[in-house]
Amino acid sequence: MKSIVLPILFILLISSLATTIEGQAYCTKEKGNTAGGCGVDPKTQCYIDFLKEFGPQASSQIQPQGLQVPCFFIFGDSLVDNGNNNRILTLARANYRPYGVDFPQGATGRFTNGRTYVDALAQLLGFPNYIPPYARTRGPALLRGVNYASGAAGILDQTGTNLGDHTSMNQQVAAFGETVLQMRRYFRGDNNALNNYLSKCIFYSGMGSNDYLNNYFMPTFYSTSSDYTTKAFAALLLQEYTRQLMVCS
């Protein structure tokens, strides 16, 4: 793993570690709210604009372009899980209706009625097909990238265990290491060639919300809220997440 250099990282941190969107109202002439009306704060507006542009509803209208990167690797939780939890013992599964009611392939394990944001990103990057889940992808298909995301997953290994089995961030990183080992055979053991290939890939990571929702805010199941102050727990998550992302690089 240490011999792999990944200078191009596209990391979206859709998590509790990101700056909190408080939704405070503000008035601005630039927004045309001169008649006493108020809009949302800039951070919230940015998020809303993103939803309009790249959300599941908009993604169906995205016109595929030529392939812009050779591969796309995805790490995360239920926001981007596309089927890795389907065959494990967990309550965090979405391979049944009404999930997927607006998705061409039906209920695939995506925790949404249609596409996920990484599905939309894959389309924008020019991939002809959605990035497949790691649970059912091996061989040459790995060269296009895989999705390691798992519903209920968190930065901490114990996060989400109240719902059953899942693939934590540490396990996802380990799976990426296994992926790299498998990819080496297609480069005949040439690490420089593999490094060069991976340096052109896109990496997405969205993790952290479950460490609060299915850990810190559940004192019946976890002791973290009594073991750490809110600031100390956030610092712990940042430390662990930084280490995990550095392992990938």
Side-chain angles (χ1 to χ4, degrees):
M1 287 293 293
K2 292 184 178 179
S3 64
I4 302 301
V5 180
L6 308 175
I8 301 178
L9 295 179
F10 181 70
I11 303 174
L12 297 179
L13 306 181
I14 304 177
S15 69
S16 297
L17 303 182
T19 302
T20 302
I21 297 176
E22 298 180 355
Q24 297 176 344
Y26 77 104
C27 300
T28 171
K29 291 183 179 180
E30 286 76 7
K31 291 292 182 179
N33 296 319
T34 57
C38 290
V40 294
D41 67 281
K43 295 173 186 175
T44 303
Q45 187 61 52
C46 179
Y47 183 63
I48 292 173
D49 291 343
F50 179 84
L51 289 176
K52 290 180 178 178
E53 187 70 20
F54 302 115
Q57 297 292 339
S59 64
S60 61
Q61 302 175 7
I62 294 175
Q63 297 300 317
Q65 305 296 318
L67 192 61
Q68 300 180 50
V69 293
C71 51
F72 184 17
F73 292 97
I74 300 158
F75 302 81
D77 50 29
S78 60
L79 290 175
V80 291
D81 184 355
N82 64 342
N84 286 307
N85 280 15
N86 287 357
R87 298 182 180 179
I88 62 177
L89 187 60
T90 178
L91 294 175
R93 282 170 38 174
N95 56 340
Y96 55 89
R97 291 176 67 88
Y99 296 110
V101 293
D102 299 315
F103 193 65
Q105 300 171 27
T108 58
R110 289 167 169 81
F111 289 75
T112 177
N113 60 300
R115 298 168 175 82
T116 66
Y117 292 106
V118 291
D119 290 332
L121 287 172
Q123 288 181 278
L124 288 170
L125 292 169
F127 286 93
N129 301 304
Y130 300 121
I131 303 302
Y134 176 72
R136 58 177 176 82
T137 306
R138 295 294 184 275
L142 294 172
L143 295 173
R144 288 297 189 194
V146 288
N147 185 335
Y148 304 99
S150 174
I155 295 170
L156 303 181
D157 288 339
Q158 70 267 31
T159 291
T161 54
N162 56 296
L163 296 174
D165 198 9
H166 63 276
T167 307
S168 68
M169 183 61 175
N170 280 326
Q171 292 172 316
Q172 292 181 36
V173 170
F176 173 68
E178 292 296 323
T179 298
V180 172
L181 290 177
Q182 291 187 54
M183 291 175 68
R184 277 202 177 104
R185 72 181 66 175
Y186 302 107
F187 290 85
R188 298 181 179 179
D190 188 337
N191 284 338
N192 289 330
L194 178 56
N195 285 343
N196 183 60
Y197 183 81
L198 289 173
S199 71
K200 299 173 183 177
C201 299
I202 295 293
F203 290 74
Y204 167 104
S205 182
M207 191 72 75
S209 60
N210 281 317
D211 291 288
Y212 286 94
L213 298 175
N214 286 295
N215 189 330
Y216 195 77
F217 294 147
M218 298 190 71
T220 303
F221 291 92
Y222 305 95
S223 63
T224 47
S225 60
S226 59
D227 294 337
Y228 300 92
T229 64
T230 54
K231 288 185 178 180
F233 188 66
L236 172 66
L237 295 181
L238 285 169
Q239 179 181 357
E240 284 297 299
Y241 203 18
T242 299
R243 178 189 61 79
Q244 291 161 346
L245 294 177
M246 290 299 294
V247 170
C248 286
S249 64

